[in-house]
RNA sequence: AGGCGCUUAGCUCAGCUGGUUAGAGCGCUACCUUCACACGGUAGAGGUCAGCGGUUCGAGUCCGCUAGCGCCUACCA
């Protein structure tokens, strides 16, 4: 028999089991077993950048709790780990670390390798997109290993054989196959239209990645002359777009302006005639009630412009600077081309903010109004605060730029997508409301193309005409079997590489897909759709999608979109939403705020089990403050588990217990039956809670009964189990201790995988390899104890605990040690309590060191606290 | 501006379909060097369950309103 260690050293124990689990393949998914014996998790691919913080470990712990419960139910677990290494954070780091920059025009160089040892004076090397993508992989591989190590420390029961990275060839293939499938189904289209654009990253972005930020701005009241006399004063926060004004509009019912409808206004500085028109979106309460429509200041402008069919005047360039425009040739219909040209000359090349400052000066100049009647701007700008759209990772406001982009048709599918959402169980349920809000509020199709490099390219080329102009209407589509491919390195079928970018030849699509276009396919990536239909059927739809709430509108939403478009399916049956870990000010913890705690230190000081305990105490959907105090409680629990187990097992060893077989039939003493009755209730409730994806309640209830087990039951049963003779009472005690401990260890196994495994290995483990693990042991069930009868007095254990506590209380008040004997005991209480006490009185007296005392038990009312009123007089002398 | 969620002891949180005097842990105070455990144990103090109104024999629990906090969506001239 294995020797039981005297002290619990979590560092060495956790490290030892981590290694052992990995070697034994404990967490392997078995591809042979059928779907209905499986539990499949669509775990979140982690963005590989920087380091792990407590927030990551928080939500991953939640997944693992559910997974470990299902595994103990005997299910075949598919629990993969993904890495999201697409995207901008990686691009930036690759540029810095390797001194390279992607140039999409360059062909792929298979011999090229990234070098970290570059000197500064070597300059920046330009490489092909695919080489750049490879450099990204090289960089992220090291990070992934570090992350994986942290996950192993945390005790995640991931099957590492199921790992994937969103940039690896398999993911690129699935992602491109998805695009082709949607292309064939007519679910994607290309459009040249005003799109939200980040001027720093120089790429289009999707609605889901846009956030509003409150920014200070100002209303500028500008005088527009009106043909035939008079003027209107429009109010704008974006005077720099004055040159792009295409119309002036007011609400149709606004009497102040109705006389002007149909007339022509003339813009100051640029002298462009623009129509004055009624428009529903104008709010009479705001500004002066009359406004200019520009191409493009905001979404309303885009909408209005689309409906109006008017000309388009683009002033802001892709880099966020005012474009060079030849105003002299009057492309915008200025009546004073020379004045317009001069005005523009001062603005061209400036950033939006600089241009705004400059044009305000110009508009404030005397005689800047049309016709020279004083300044064009009335008074000073009036400060205001307004919401401005930003890319969520961006630094400057988004602009609307007309560009060619790929879109997925989601707008006309809102109802179906809401219906799909209702087929999925959300935990907590109100998170579905967020999903529905988002879907209902969609106003654009999903823009999936990005003008970036690190990402999955579109498997598309365009034929070029004799002038070398691409024919976007008839793209050349890659064959499925050729994927993944890079259209910038490989020619389309029927063409040769020499024809690239030549008249009569072809051009590859230069863009990459939105990173969500790939991560929305995590279920298919894991299942192998559509290449491996058999495997796909075993893994899809999945059981569980764990994630956090800020990505409901992206990850959850897009995954539902893809599953629906590809197969008319839901991607998973359950979604669990973990909250955020916030700092004490209730702000989300994030690296940029510098308030991040590293899990590594916590594992080292308090153990991974203790960290998991803290995470498990927090329910799905609730944000929480990281609390070291609670981690300490977790550590205390695991140490207590260790010590109590050690004590119980030494006791069982002494009487030669049979660990192979739980002799539950031996359980016969009233106290033991009463305790088993409570244990049975706990097991039933904990299992029920886990079934409904609640892990916090099982932990709390198990913990509660476990402390009673230690504080009271062990004390009550101690003397009886010490008995030298093999009596039925001793056998009952032995069997109950065995059953209780074995049950607690299994109940705690999902939460505290290390310490429970350690204890399990001392006496309970059977056989070799994975099956010896507590994590493959069966989850406790009430069936295990069917042969144990219900006690005549169910309350006996509770009543005994109560009396024991009161005896202890008396000793504490007298400032005596708990071993101090009691001389006389008077107990008064109602009939029921006395009846429950009667069969276990001897156990209590032995545990309370009152065996020799005079006992008097009388009828009496139930006291305010507890079940009995107890008078205990202590002995004069301590026991020998 | 609409919606969702939260508000219970100093702190972190339990309280299921309404039912006897509101629970736990931490922290605090006092005590116990106890033969599994000082990475311990025992006991104690501490709450008008955010506020107001309603339903009910009975409300922390159900309904309405108000306030504060957090989030989602919208507003962007």
């Amino acid at each position: 028999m294995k020797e039981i260690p005297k002290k619990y050293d979590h560092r060495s124990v956790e490290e030892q089991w981590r290694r052992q689990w990995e070697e034994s393949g404990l967490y392997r998914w078995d591809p042979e077993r059928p779907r209905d014996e499986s539990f499949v998790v669509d775990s979140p691919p982690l963005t590989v950048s920087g380091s792990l913080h407590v927030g990551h470990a928080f939500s991953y712990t939640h997944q693992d709790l559910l997974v470990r419960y299902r595994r103990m139910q005997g299910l075949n677990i598919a629990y993969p780990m993904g890495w999201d290494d697409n995207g901008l954070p990686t691009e930036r780091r690759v540029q810095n670390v390797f001194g390279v920059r992607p140039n999409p025009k360059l062909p792929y160089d298979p011999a090229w390798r990234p070098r970290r040892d570059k000197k500064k004076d070597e300059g920046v090397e330009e490489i092909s997109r695919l080489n750049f993508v490879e450099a990204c992989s090289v960089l992220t591989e090291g990070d992934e290993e570090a992350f994986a190590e942290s996950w192993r420390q945390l005790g995640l029961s991931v099957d590492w054989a199921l790992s994937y990275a969103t940039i690896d060839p398999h993911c690129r293939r699935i992602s491109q196959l998805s695009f082709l499938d949607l292309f064939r189904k007519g679910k994607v289209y290309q459009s040249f239209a005003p799109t939200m654009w980040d001027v720093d990253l120089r790429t289009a972005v999707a609605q889901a990645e846009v956030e509003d930020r409150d920014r200070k701005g100002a209303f500028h009241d500008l005088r527009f002359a009106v043909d035939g006399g008079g003027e209107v004063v429009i109010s704008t926060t974006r005077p720099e777009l004055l040159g792009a004004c295409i119309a002036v509009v007011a609400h149709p019912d606004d009497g102040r302006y109705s006389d002007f409808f149909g007339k022509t206004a003339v813009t100051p500085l640029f002298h462009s005639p623009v129509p004055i028109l009624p428009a529903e979106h104008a709010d009479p309460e705001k500004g002066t009630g009359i406004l200019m429509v520009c191409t493009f200041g905001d979404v309303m402008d885009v909408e209005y412009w689309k409906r109006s069919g008017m000309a388009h005047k683009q002033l802001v360039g892709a880099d966020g600077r005012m474009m060079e425009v030849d105003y002299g040739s009057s492309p915008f219909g200025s009546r004073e081309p020379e004045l317009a040209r001069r005005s523009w000359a001062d603005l061209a090349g400036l950033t939006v903010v600089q241009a705004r400052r400059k044009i305000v000066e110009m508009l404030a100049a005397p005689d800047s109004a049309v016709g020279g009647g004083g300044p064009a701007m009335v008074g000073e700008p009036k400060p205001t605060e307004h919401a401005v759209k930003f890319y969520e990772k961006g630094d400057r406001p988004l602009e609307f730029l007309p560009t060619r982009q790929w879109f997925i048709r989601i707008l006309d599918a809102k109802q179906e997508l809401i219906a799909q959402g209702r087929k999925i169980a959300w935990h907590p349920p109100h998170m579905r409301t967020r999903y529905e809000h988002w879907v209902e509020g969609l106003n654009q199709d999903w823009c999936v193309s990005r003008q970036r490099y690190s990402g999955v390219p579109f498997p598309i080329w365009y034929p070029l005409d004799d002038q070398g102009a691409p024919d976007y209407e008839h793209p050349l589509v890659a064959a499925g079997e050729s994927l993944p491919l890079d259209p910038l390195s490989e020619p389309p079928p029927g063409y040769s590489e020499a024809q690239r970018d030549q008249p009569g030849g072809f051009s590859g699509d230069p863009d990459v897909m939105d990173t969500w276009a790939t991560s929305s396919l995590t279920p298919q990536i894991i299942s192998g759709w559509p290449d491996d239909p058999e495997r796909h059927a075993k893994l899809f739809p999945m059981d569980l999608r764990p994630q956090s709430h800020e990505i409901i509108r992206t990850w959850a939403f897009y995954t539902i979109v893809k599953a629906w478009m590809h197969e008319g399916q839901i991607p998973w049956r359950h979604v669990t939403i973990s909250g955020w870990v916030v700092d004490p000010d209730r702000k989300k913890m994030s690296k940029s705020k510098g308030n991040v705690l590293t899990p590594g230190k916590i594992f080292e000081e308090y153990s991974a089990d203790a960290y998991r305990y803290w995470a498990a105490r927090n329910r799905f959907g609730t944000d929480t403050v990281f609390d070291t105090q609670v981690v300490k409680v977790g550590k205390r629990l695991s140490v207590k588990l260790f010590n109590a187990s050690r004590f119980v097992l030494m006791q069982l060893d002494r009487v030669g217990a049979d660990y192979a077989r739980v002799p539950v039939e031996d359980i016969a003493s009233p106290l033991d039956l009463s305790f088993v009755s409570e244990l049975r209730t706990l097991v039933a409730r904990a299992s029920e809670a886990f079934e409904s994806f609640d892990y916090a309640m099982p932990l709390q209830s198990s913990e509660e009964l476990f402390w009673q087990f230690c504080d009271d039951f062990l004390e009550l049963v101690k003397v009886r189990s010490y008995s030298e003779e093999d009596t039925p009472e001793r056998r009952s005690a032995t069997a109950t201790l065995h059953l209780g401990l074995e049950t607690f260890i299994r109940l705690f196994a999902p939460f505290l995988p290390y310490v429970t495994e350690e204890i399990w290995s001392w006496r309970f483990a059977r056989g070799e390899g994975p099956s010896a693990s507590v994590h493959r042991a069966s989850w406790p069930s009430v069936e295990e104890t069917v042969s144990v009868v219900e006690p005549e007095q169910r309350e006996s254990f509770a009543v005994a605990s109560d009396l024991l506590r009161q005896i202890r209380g008396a000793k504490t008040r007298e400032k005596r040690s708990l071993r101090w004997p009691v001389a006389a005991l008077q107990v008064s209480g109602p009939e029921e309590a006395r009846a429950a006490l009667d069969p276990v009185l001897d156990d209590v007296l032995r545990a309370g060191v009152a065996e020799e005392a005079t006992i008097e038990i009388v009828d009496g009312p139930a006291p305010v606290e507890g079940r009995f009123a107890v008078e205990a007089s202590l002995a004069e002398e301590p026991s020998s």
Side-chain angles (χ1 to χ4, degrees), chain A residues 212 236-237 286 291 386-387 389 434 437 553 707 711 812 818-819:
Chain A
D212 289 346
T236 181
T237 56
K286 219 163 176 181
L291 60 129
H386 58 152
K389 286 194 187 307
R434 288 205 187 183
H437 276 165
R553 67 180 191 171
W707 282 100
D711 293 349
T812 301
L818 294 180
R819 278 203 304 171

Coordinates of all heavy atoms in Angstrom, one line a residue, chain A residues 212 236-237 286 291 386-387 389 434 437 553 707 711 812 818-819, chain B residues 3 14 26 34-37 39 41-43 71 73 75-77:
Chain A
D212 N -19.1 52.5 -29.9 CA -19.3 54.0 -29.8 C -18.5 54.5 -28.6 O -18.4 53.8 -27.6 CB -20.8 54.3 -29.4 CG -21.7 54.0 -30.6 OD1 -21.2 53.9 -31.7 OD2 -22.9 54.0 -30.4
T236 N -23.2 71.9 -37.9 CA -22.5 70.7 -38.1 C -21.4 70.5 -37.1 O -20.8 71.5 -36.6 CB -21.9 70.7 -39.6 OG1 -21.2 69.5 -39.8 CG2 -20.9 71.9 -39.8
T237 N -21.1 69.3 -36.8 CA -19.9 69.0 -36.0 C -18.7 68.6 -36.9 O -17.6 68.4 -36.3 CB -20.2 67.8 -35.0 OG1 -20.5 66.6 -35.8 CG2 -21.2 68.1 -34.0
K286 N -32.6 69.6 -32.9 CA -31.1 69.5 -32.8 C -30.4 70.6 -33.6 O -30.8 70.9 -34.8 CB -30.7 68.2 -33.3 CG -29.6 67.5 -32.5 CD -29.5 66.1 -32.9 CE -28.3 65.4 -32.2 NZ -28.3 64.0 -32.5
L291 N -29.5 70.8 -41.7 CA -28.2 70.3 -41.7 C -27.7 70.0 -43.1 O -28.5 69.9 -44.0 CB -28.1 69.0 -40.8 CG -29.0 67.8 -41.3 CD1 -28.2 66.6 -41.4 CD2 -30.2 67.7 -40.3
H386 N -20.8 63.9 -28.1 CA -21.6 63.0 -28.9 C -20.8 61.6 -29.1 O -19.6 61.5 -29.0 CB -21.9 63.6 -30.3 CG -20.7 64.1 -31.1 ND1 -20.7 64.2 -32.4 CD2 -19.5 64.4 -30.7 CE1 -19.5 64.6 -32.8 NE2 -18.7 64.7 -31.8
A387 N -21.6 60.6 -29.5 CA -21.1 59.3 -29.7 C -20.4 59.2 -31.1 O -21.0 59.7 -32.1 CB -22.2 58.3 -29.6
K389 N -18.2 56.6 -33.8 CA -17.9 55.2 -34.0 C -16.4 55.0 -34.1 O -15.7 55.7 -34.9 CB -18.6 54.7 -35.3 CG -20.1 54.5 -35.1 CD -20.7 53.8 -36.3 CE -22.2 53.7 -36.2 NZ -22.7 53.2 -34.9
R434 N -29.4 39.3 -25.1 CA -28.3 40.1 -25.7 C -28.1 39.7 -27.2 O -27.9 40.6 -28.1 CB -27.0 39.9 -25.0 CG -27.0 40.5 -23.7 CD -25.5 40.8 -23.3 NE -25.5 41.2 -22.0 CZ -24.3 41.6 -21.4 NH1 -23.2 41.5 -22.1 NH2 -24.3 42.0 -20.2
H437 N -31.0 41.2 -29.2 CA -30.9 42.6 -29.4 C -29.9 42.9 -30.5 O -30.2 43.7 -31.4 CB -30.3 43.2 -28.1 CG -31.3 43.6 -27.1 ND1 -31.1 43.9 -25.8 CD2 -32.7 43.6 -27.2 CE1 -32.2 44.1 -25.2 NE2 -33.2 44.0 -26.0
R553 N -21.9 39.1 -29.7 CA -22.2 39.6 -31.0 C -21.2 39.2 -32.1 O -21.5 39.5 -33.3 CB -22.4 41.1 -31.0 CG -21.1 41.9 -30.7 CD -21.3 43.3 -30.6 NE -20.1 44.1 -30.6 CZ -20.1 45.5 -30.7 NH1 -21.2 46.1 -30.9 NH2 -19.0 46.1 -30.7
W707 N -17.4 19.9 5.8 CA -17.0 20.5 7.0 C -17.7 19.9 8.2 O -17.1 19.7 9.3 CB -17.1 22.0 7.0 CG -16.0 22.7 6.2 CD1 -16.0 23.1 5.0 CD2 -14.6 22.9 6.6 NE1 -14.8 23.6 4.6 CE2 -13.9 23.4 5.6 CE3 -13.9 22.6 7.8 CZ2 -12.5 23.8 5.6 CZ3 -12.5 22.9 7.9 CH2 -11.9 23.5 6.8
D711 N -15.8 18.3 11.2 CA -16.0 18.9 12.6 C -16.8 18.0 13.5 O -16.5 17.9 14.7 CB -16.7 20.2 12.5 CG -15.8 21.3 11.8 OD1 -14.6 20.9 11.6 OD2 -16.3 22.3 11.5
T812 N -15.8 26.5 25.8 CA -15.2 27.7 25.3 C -15.5 28.9 26.3 O -14.6 29.7 26.6 CB -15.6 28.1 23.9 OG1 -15.3 27.0 23.0 CG2 -15.0 29.3 23.4
L818 N -11.0 21.6 24.8 CA -12.2 20.8 24.4 C -12.1 19.4 24.9 O -13.0 18.6 24.8 CB -12.3 20.8 22.8 CG -12.6 22.1 22.2 CD1 -12.7 22.0 20.7 CD2 -13.9 22.7 22.8
R819 N -10.9 19.1 25.5 CA -10.8 17.7 26.1 C -11.2 17.7 27.5 O -11.3 16.7 28.2 CB -9.3 17.3 26.0 CG -8.9 16.7 24.6 CD -7.7 15.8 24.7 NE -6.6 16.5 25.4 CZ -5.5 15.9 25.7 NH1 -5.3 14.6 25.6 NH2 -4.5 16.6 26.3
Chain B
rG3 P -38.0 49.6 -21.5 OP1 -39.3 49.1 -21.3 OP2 -37.4 50.5 -20.6 O5' -37.0 48.4 -21.7 C5' -37.2 47.4 -22.7 C4' -36.0 46.6 -23.0 O4' -34.9 47.4 -23.3 C3' -35.5 45.8 -21.7 O3' -36.3 44.7 -21.5 C2' -34.1 45.5 -22.2 O2' -34.0 44.5 -23.1 C1' -33.7 46.8 -22.9 N9 -33.0 47.8 -22.0 C8 -33.5 49.0 -21.5 N7 -32.6 49.6 -20.7 C5 -31.5 48.8 -20.7 C6 -30.2 48.9 -20.1 O6 -29.9 49.9 -19.4 N1 -29.4 47.9 -20.4 C2 -29.7 46.8 -21.1 N2 -28.8 45.8 -21.3 N3 -30.9 46.6 -21.7 C4 -31.7 47.6 -21.5
rA14 P -24.5 34.9 -5.6 OP1 -24.5 34.6 -7.1 OP2 -25.4 35.9 -5.1 O5' -24.9 33.5 -4.9 C5' -25.4 33.5 -3.6 C4' -25.5 32.1 -3.1 O4' -25.0 32.1 -1.8 C3' -26.9 31.6 -3.1 O3' -27.3 30.9 -4.2 C2' -26.9 30.8 -1.8 O2' -26.4 29.5 -2.1 C1' -26.0 31.5 -0.9 N9 -26.7 32.6 -0.2 C8 -26.6 34.0 -0.4 N7 -27.3 34.7 0.5 C5 -27.9 33.7 1.3 C6 -28.7 33.8 2.4 N6 -29.2 35.0 2.9 N1 -29.1 32.7 3.0 C2 -28.7 31.5 2.5 N3 -27.9 31.3 1.5 C4 -27.5 32.5 0.9
rC26 P -13.7 31.4 7.7 OP1 -12.5 30.6 7.9 OP2 -14.6 31.7 8.8 O5' -13.2 32.7 7.0 C5' -12.3 32.7 5.9 C4' -12.2 34.1 5.3 O4' -13.5 34.5 4.9 C3' -11.8 35.2 6.3 O3' -10.3 35.2 6.4 C2' -12.3 36.4 5.6 O2' -11.5 36.8 4.5 C1' -13.6 35.9 5.1 N1 -14.7 36.2 6.0 C2 -15.2 37.6 6.1 O2 -14.7 38.4 5.4 N3 -16.2 37.8 6.9 C4 -16.8 36.9 7.7 N4 -17.8 37.2 8.5 C5 -16.3 35.5 7.6 C6 -15.3 35.2 6.8
rU34 P -2.2 20.7 23.3 OP1 -1.5 20.2 24.5 OP2 -1.6 20.6 21.9 O5' -3.6 20.1 23.2 C5' -3.8 18.7 23.4 C4' -4.4 18.1 22.2 O4' -5.8 18.4 22.1 C3' -3.8 18.4 20.9 O3' -3.6 17.2 20.1 C2' -4.8 19.3 20.2 O2' -4.8 19.2 18.8 C1' -6.1 18.8 20.8 N1 -7.2 19.8 20.8 C2 -8.2 19.6 19.9 O2 -8.2 18.6 19.1 N3 -9.2 20.5 19.9 C4 -9.3 21.6 20.8 O4 -10.2 22.3 20.7 C5 -8.2 21.7 21.7 C6 -7.2 20.8 21.7
rC35 P -2.3 16.8 19.5 OP1 -1.4 16.1 20.5 OP2 -1.7 18.0 18.8 O5' -2.8 15.7 18.4 C5' -2.0 14.7 17.9 C4' -2.4 13.4 18.3 O4' -2.4 13.3 19.8 C3' -3.8 13.0 18.0 O3' -3.9 12.5 16.6 C2' -4.0 11.8 18.9 O2' -3.4 10.6 18.5 C1' -3.4 12.3 20.2 N1 -4.3 13.0 21.1 C2 -5.2 12.2 21.8 O2 -5.2 11.0 21.6 N3 -6.1 12.8 22.7 C4 -6.0 14.1 22.8 N4 -6.9 14.6 23.7 C5 -5.1 15.0 22.1 C6 -4.3 14.3 21.3
rA36 P -5.3 12.2 15.9 OP1 -6.3 13.0 16.5 OP2 -5.4 10.7 15.8 O5' -5.0 12.7 14.5 C5' -4.0 12.1 13.6 C4' -4.0 12.8 12.3 O4' -5.2 12.7 11.6 C3' -3.8 14.3 12.5 O3' -2.4 14.7 12.6 C2' -4.4 14.9 11.2 O2' -3.6 14.8 10.1 C1' -5.6 13.9 11.0 N9 -6.9 14.3 11.6 C8 -7.3 14.0 12.9 N7 -8.5 14.5 13.1 C5 -8.8 15.3 12.0 C6 -9.9 16.0 11.7 N6 -11.0 16.2 12.5 N1 -9.9 16.6 10.5 C2 -8.9 16.4 9.7 N3 -7.8 15.7 9.9 C4 -7.8 15.2 11.1
rC37 P -2.0 15.9 13.5 OP1 -0.5 15.9 13.6 OP2 -2.8 15.8 14.8 O5' -2.5 17.2 12.7 C5' -1.9 17.5 11.5 C4' -2.7 18.5 10.7 O4' -4.0 18.0 10.5 C3' -2.9 19.8 11.5 O3' -1.8 20.7 11.3 C2' -4.2 20.4 10.8 O2' -3.8 21.0 9.6 C1' -4.9 19.1 10.5 N1 -6.0 18.9 11.5 C2 -7.3 19.4 11.3 O2 -7.4 20.1 10.2 N3 -8.3 19.2 12.2 C4 -8.0 18.5 13.3 N4 -9.1 18.3 14.1 C5 -6.8 17.9 13.5 C6 -5.8 18.1 12.6
rC39 P 1.3 26.6 9.6 OP1 1.9 25.3 9.5 OP2 2.0 27.8 9.4 O5' 0.0 26.6 8.6 C5' -0.6 27.9 8.2 C4' -1.7 27.5 7.3 O4' -1.1 27.1 6.0 C3' -2.4 26.2 7.9 O3' -3.6 26.5 8.5 C2' -2.4 25.2 6.7 O2' -3.7 24.8 6.3 C1' -1.6 25.8 5.6 N1 -0.4 25.0 5.2 C2 -0.5 24.4 3.9 O2 -1.4 24.6 3.2 N3 0.6 23.7 3.5 C4 1.7 23.5 4.3 N4 2.7 22.8 3.9 C5 1.7 24.1 5.6 C6 0.6 24.8 6.0
rG41 P -9.7 24.4 10.7 OP1 -10.6 23.6 9.8 OP2 -9.5 25.9 10.5 O5' -10.2 24.2 12.2 C5' -10.2 22.9 12.7 C4' -10.4 22.9 14.2 O4' -9.2 23.6 14.8 C3' -11.5 23.8 14.7 O3' -12.8 23.1 14.6 C2' -11.1 24.0 16.1 O2' -11.3 22.8 16.9 C1' -9.6 24.2 16.0 N9 -9.3 25.7 15.9 C8 -8.9 26.4 14.8 N7 -8.7 27.6 15.0 C5 -9.0 27.8 16.3 C6 -9.0 28.9 17.2 O6 -8.7 30.1 16.9 N1 -9.5 28.6 18.5 C2 -9.8 27.4 18.9 N2 -10.2 27.3 20.2 N3 -9.8 26.3 18.1 C4 -9.4 26.6 16.9
rU42 P -14.1 23.9 14.3 OP1 -15.1 23.0 14.0 OP2 -13.8 25.1 13.5 O5' -14.3 24.5 15.8 C5' -14.5 23.6 16.9 C4' -14.7 24.4 18.2 O4' -13.5 25.0 18.5 C3' -15.8 25.5 18.1 O3' -17.1 25.0 18.2 C2' -15.3 26.3 19.3 O2' -15.7 25.7 20.5 C1' -13.8 26.3 19.2 N1 -13.3 27.4 18.4 C2 -13.1 28.6 19.0 O2 -13.5 28.8 20.2 N3 -12.6 29.6 18.3 C4 -12.3 29.5 16.9 O4 -11.8 30.6 16.4 C5 -12.4 28.3 16.3 C6 -12.9 27.2 17.1
rA43 P -18.2 25.8 17.4 OP1 -19.4 24.9 17.6 OP2 -17.8 26.2 16.1 O5' -18.4 27.1 18.3 C5' -19.0 27.0 19.6 C4' -18.7 28.3 20.4 O4' -17.3 28.6 20.3 C3' -19.4 29.5 19.8 O3' -20.7 29.6 20.3 C2' -18.5 30.6 20.5 O2' -18.8 30.7 21.9 C1' -17.1 30.0 20.3 N9 -16.5 30.4 19.1 C8 -16.3 29.8 17.9 N7 -15.6 30.4 17.0 C5 -15.4 31.7 17.7 C6 -14.7 32.8 17.2 N6 -14.2 33.0 16.0 N1 -14.7 33.9 18.1 C2 -15.2 33.7 19.3 N3 -15.9 32.7 19.8 C4 -15.9 31.7 18.9
rC71 P -20.0 49.1 -17.5 OP1 -18.5 49.0 -17.9 OP2 -20.7 50.4 -17.5 O5' -20.8 48.1 -18.4 C5' -20.3 46.8 -18.7 C4' -21.5 46.0 -19.2 O4' -22.7 46.1 -18.3 C3' -22.0 46.3 -20.6 O3' -21.2 45.8 -21.6 C2' -23.4 45.7 -20.5 O2' -23.3 44.3 -20.7 C1' -23.8 46.0 -19.1 N1 -24.7 47.2 -19.0 C2 -26.0 47.1 -19.5 O2 -26.4 46.0 -19.9 N3 -26.8 48.2 -19.4 C4 -26.3 49.3 -18.9 N4 -27.1 50.4 -18.8 C5 -24.9 49.5 -18.5 C6 -24.2 48.4 -18.5
rU73 P -23.7 45.9 -28.1 OP1 -23.3 45.1 -29.2 OP2 -22.8 47.0 -27.5 O5' -25.1 46.6 -28.5 C5' -26.1 45.9 -29.2 C4' -27.4 46.7 -29.3 O4' -27.8 47.0 -28.0 C3' -27.3 48.1 -30.0 O3' -27.2 48.0 -31.4 C2' -28.6 48.7 -29.5 O2' -29.7 48.2 -30.1 C1' -28.6 48.2 -28.0 N1 -28.0 49.2 -27.1 C2 -28.8 50.3 -26.8 O2 -29.9 50.4 -27.1 N3 -28.1 51.2 -26.0 C4 -26.8 51.2 -25.5 O4 -26.5 52.1 -24.8 C5 -26.1 50.1 -26.0 C6 -26.6 49.2 -26.7
rC75 P -27.9 54.5 -34.3 OP1 -28.3 54.7 -35.7 OP2 -26.5 54.0 -34.0 O5' -28.2 55.9 -33.5 C5' -29.4 56.5 -33.6 C4' -29.5 57.6 -32.6 O4' -29.1 57.1 -31.3 C3' -28.5 58.7 -32.9 O3' -29.0 59.7 -33.8 C2' -28.3 59.4 -31.5 O2' -29.4 60.3 -31.2 C1' -28.5 58.1 -30.6 N1 -27.2 57.6 -30.1 C2 -26.5 58.2 -29.1 O2 -27.0 59.2 -28.5 N3 -25.3 57.8 -28.6 C4 -24.8 56.7 -29.2 N4 -23.6 56.3 -28.8 C5 -25.4 56.0 -30.3 C6 -26.6 56.5 -30.7
rC76 P -28.2 60.0 -35.1 OP1 -28.9 61.0 -35.9 OP2 -27.7 58.8 -35.8 O5' -26.9 60.6 -34.4 C5' -26.6 62.0 -34.3 C4' -25.2 62.1 -33.8 O4' -24.8 60.9 -33.3 C3' -24.2 62.5 -35.0 O3' -23.2 63.2 -34.4 C2' -23.8 61.1 -35.4 O2' -22.5 61.2 -36.0 C1' -23.6 60.4 -34.0 N1 -23.6 58.9 -34.1 C2 -22.4 58.3 -34.1 O2 -21.3 59.0 -34.2 N3 -22.3 56.9 -34.2 C4 -23.5 56.3 -34.1 N4 -23.4 54.9 -34.2 C5 -24.7 56.9 -34.1 C6 -24.8 58.2 -34.1
rA77 P -23.0 64.7 -34.6 OP1 -21.5 64.8 -34.9 OP2 -23.6 65.5 -33.6 O5' -23.7 65.0 -36.0 C5' -23.1 65.0 -37.2 C4' -23.9 65.8 -38.2 O4' -25.2 65.2 -38.2 C3' -24.0 67.2 -37.9 O3' -22.9 68.0 -38.3 C2' -25.3 67.5 -38.8 O2' -24.9 67.6 -40.1 C1' -26.1 66.3 -38.6 N9 -27.1 66.5 -37.5 C8 -26.9 66.4 -36.1 N7 -27.9 66.7 -35.4 C5 -28.9 66.9 -36.4 C6 -30.3 67.3 -36.3 N6 -30.9 67.4 -35.1 N1 -30.9 67.5 -37.4 C2 -30.3 67.3 -38.6 N3 -29.0 67.0 -38.8 C4 -28.4 66.8 -37.7

